[in-house]
Amino acid sequence: MAVRLMVVDDHRLLAEALASALKLRGHRVLAAAAPVAGAADLVISRAPEVCLLGTAAPAEPGIFDPVVKIKRERPQVAVLVLGPVPSPRGIAAAFASGASGYVRHDERIETVERAIMKARAGEAAVAPQLLQGAFGELLHPAAQPDDEGQRLLRMLTPREVEVLVRVAEGEDTRQIAAGMNIAPSTARTHVQRVLMKLGVGSRLEAAALAARTGLLDRAGPLRPAAQPSREP
């Protein structure tokens, strides 16, 4: 049975190719639109039975805001997300926003078509193992990615935190020693301990890791003012 569809993807060629394939299978494709940012208003105005929404980053915050808007304005429209091999968090985010299903974008057209039919019928259009992982994520959310920065920070002493901040600011051993009022040999030892605890092989890697995990943002306020030290 033919379904009234809309295909939305940031990659216009992909949207048009999928729309053409679905037309050949007898479905009525109302539009193949890009980019996703303007999809909600178009879907709301055209009111298809099913909207296929493509995404390259299903776990990115706010990526499913268009789904929320569509479901708020047109709750009868079933939204089927097409995306990469997802994490449970991505699947959970899709369902939490109101999506009716999630299909990997490397699936065969037959699989996409079956998902469309399920979505229109009000069923969850997603592989059982993906659905199980999604519900598990909804019930027991995993730690946020930036928790890695907090974990790394707990591994370091306050003095090592200061050393790491100074390393990230580009200070060499002599500058670290002068700023902390310690001997260069002691500064060098602190740097080596920081590298060892972070599991990196160079100061550049340490700075990059600290920036990537948000450790520097957390460590900045913790950096103590330079005070006289009794260390040799």
Side-chain angles (χ1 to χ4, degrees), residues 109-135:
I109 189 65
E110 294 84 1
T111 301
V112 176
E113 187 175 37
R114 285 195 297 271
I116 289 171
M117 304 306 291
K118 283 187 175 183
R120 186 178 67 167
E123 301 177 25
V126 63
Q129 64 272 26
L130 296 182
L131 188 60
Q132 182 179 9
F135 286 153

Side-chain angles (χ1 to χ4, degrees), residues 5 9 30-31 38 42 45 52 56 73 89 94 101 110 120 135-136 145 157 160 175 192 197 206 211 213 222 229 232:
L5 300 164
D9 197 292
L30 303 179
L42 184 59
S45 66
L52 301 180
E73 301 294 330
R89 181 174 297 171
E110 294 84 1
R120 186 178 67 167
F135 286 153
T157 66
E160 289 166 348
Q175 291 170 319
Q192 291 303 315
K197 287 185 177 182
T213 60
L222 299 178
S229 171

Side-chain angles (χ1 to χ4, degrees), residues 58-157:
E60 182 178 323
I63 197 68
F64 295 123
D65 286 351
V67 181
V68 175
K69 184 174 182 179
I70 292 168
K71 297 303 292 185
R72 182 175 63 245
E73 301 294 330
R74 295 284 187 179
Q76 75 276 16
V77 175
V79 181
L80 184 62
V81 176
L82 302 176
V85 178
S87 66
R89 181 174 297 171
I91 296 287
F95 276 97
S97 69
S100 298
Y102 189 107
V103 179
R104 286 168 41 179
H105 57 199
D106 59 351
E107 293 284 4
R108 298 172 62 87
I109 189 65
E110 294 84 1
T111 301
V112 176
E113 187 175 37
R114 285 195 297 271
I116 289 171
M117 304 306 291
K118 283 187 175 183
R120 186 178 67 167
E123 301 177 25
V126 63
Q129 64 272 26
L130 296 182
L131 188 60
Q132 182 179 9
F135 286 153
E137 176 66 24
L138 286 170
L139 292 173
H140 307 288
Q144 295 299 314
D146 62 359
D147 282 354
E148 183 181 1
Q150 186 63 49
R151 179 183 64 81
L152 293 174
L153 195 60
R154 287 196 296 265
M155 296 169 57
L156 305 176
T157 66

Side-chain angles (χ1 to χ4, degrees), residues 147-226:
D147 282 354
E148 183 181 1
Q150 186 63 49
R151 179 183 64 81
L152 293 174
L153 195 60
R154 287 196 296 265
M155 296 169 57
L156 305 176
T157 66
R159 175 136 293 194
E160 289 166 348
V161 169
E162 181 178 0
V163 169
L164 176 60
V165 172
R166 290 179 180 276
V167 166
E169 291 175 349
E171 294 187 8
D172 58 22
T173 301
R174 179 183 56 79
Q175 291 170 319
I176 293 173
M180 297 179 66
N181 195 28
I182 57 178
S185 59
T186 303
R188 191 175 301 110
T189 297
H190 283 316
V191 171
Q192 291 303 315
R193 286 176 179 168
V194 169
L195 299 185
M196 180 182 66
K197 287 185 177 182
L198 296 182
V200 296
S202 69
R203 298 182 182 211
L204 183 59
E205 289 181 81
L209 177 64
R212 177 174 59 80
T213 60
L215 193 155
L216 286 179
D217 294 333
R218 299 171 183 269
L222 299 178
R223 174 175 167 171

